[in-house]
Amino acid sequence: MPRIQWHRLPSAVQEHLRDRVRTRAIDAQDLAVLLACIDADPDLPDGNWCKDFGSFKLVGERPIPKAFLMRDQPCYGQLV
């Protein structure tokens, strides 16, 4: 199973994720939870996936994280 690829992300994806952190008001506590998830290096399904952190959601496709969603936005893909 693939793992989240945080290194060598395409620059457009990096900028999109940075912008979403700013506009979604993801705070330091939320980022600490995200970092703990990254350290856990979870297995990912093939295709689209979603990780719900409670205050925000992270969605991606295979190993590439694609977007941060707000709490009330629907997830798409398989939950991890």
Side-chain angles (χ1 to χ4, degrees):
M1 294 200 121
R3 309 272 187 192
I4 297 175
Q5 176 186 319
W6 291 101
H7 305 288
R8 297 181 310 273
L9 287 175
S11 60
V13 172
Q14 289 179 27
E15 184 56 35
H16 173 75
L17 293 175
R18 275 191 223 105
D19 181 57
R20 287 300 175 259
V21 167
R22 288 188 299 270
T23 61
R24 305 289 191 222
I26 297 174
D27 64 23
Q29 184 177 1
D30 293 337
L31 289 176
V33 173
L34 175 61
L35 289 174
C37 176
I38 292 168
D39 287 344
D41 199 21
D43 288 332
L44 300 172
D46 290 329
N48 295 325
W49 53 268
C50 178
K51 173 72 174 160
D52 189 342
F53 290 92
S55 61
F56 70 96
K57 298 168 186 166
L58 175 64
V59 294
E61 182 179 355
R62 300 213 18 103
I64 306 294
K66 295 284 186 163
F68 290 107
L69 304 177
M70 296 186 329
R71 174 183 321 180
D72 57 343
Q73 289 182 289
C75 251
Y76 57 87
Q78 184 176 340
L79 289 174
V80 289

